Amino acid sequence: MKTILVAEDNDSNYILMTYILKHDYAFQRAKNGQEAVDMVRSGHFDLVLMDMKMPVMDGLQATKAIKELFPELPVIALTANAFESDRQLALEAGCNDFLSKPVNSAKCLETIAKFIGK
């Protein structure tokens, strides 16, 4: 089973992601960007769902650090900020795609499958 790192500091948003992912993927949680970078460095993940607004290190910084380590690892930005400028910043940081919160289950699974299948 493919494993996804969910970098999300908000408990309710993380719980929503567990409901979306639980039937198709294994997953682990990072509560901030630094933790996400550390977990990617020490473990194996097939994809990262990256919240953009987190404590310690934000999603943009974490994505840049992860992409330096593993350029081929798909990172999908998750953000409540749905402006085109936010999307552009995420893509410039190295994100492969972008999902707006609240996350639509079908769209989320479709986007993940585009990168790693089921």
Side-chain angles (χ1 to χ4, degrees):
M1 184 177 277
K2 304 277 185 171
T3 303
I4 295 173
L5 177 60
V6 180
E8 174 61 68
D9 63 314
N10 180 288
D11 289 340
S12 59
N13 288 338
Y14 176 71
I15 290 167
L16 172 62
M17 294 311 300
T18 67
Y19 283 109
I20 293 171
L21 301 173
K22 68 182 178 182
H23 298 294
D24 299 306
Y25 303 100
F27 50 87
Q28 293 181 35
R29 180 184 188 182
K31 291 189 176 184
N32 63 61
Q34 184 61 58
E35 195 173 296
V37 173
D38 293 343
M39 289 176 74
V40 166
R41 188 180 287 126
S42 64
H44 173 77
F45 296 95
D46 297 291
L47 184 137
V48 178
L49 291 172
M50 182 71 73
D51 181 24
M52 291 292 105
K53 303 273 192 255
M54 290 185 291
V56 184
M57 177 189 284
D58 69 25
L60 295 173
Q61 294 170 304
T63 297
K64 287 177 187 173
I66 287 168
K67 287 296 192 167
E68 285 177 16
L69 296 167
F70 301 100
E72 302 303 313
L73 180 64
V75 178
I76 299 172
L78 297 174
T79 185
N81 299 326
F83 299 110
E84 185 57 35
S85 59
D86 296 308
R87 179 185 179 89
Q88 197 56 44
L89 285 172
L91 296 175
E92 287 171 10
C95 291
N96 299 87
D97 213 327
F98 183 94
L99 292 170
S100 298
K101 292 178 185 177
V103 175
N104 172 287
S105 300
K107 174 76 172 152
C108 181
L109 291 172
E110 176 186 309
T111 303
I112 292 168
K114 184 168 69 173
F115 293 100
I116 63 170
K118 280 208 170 185

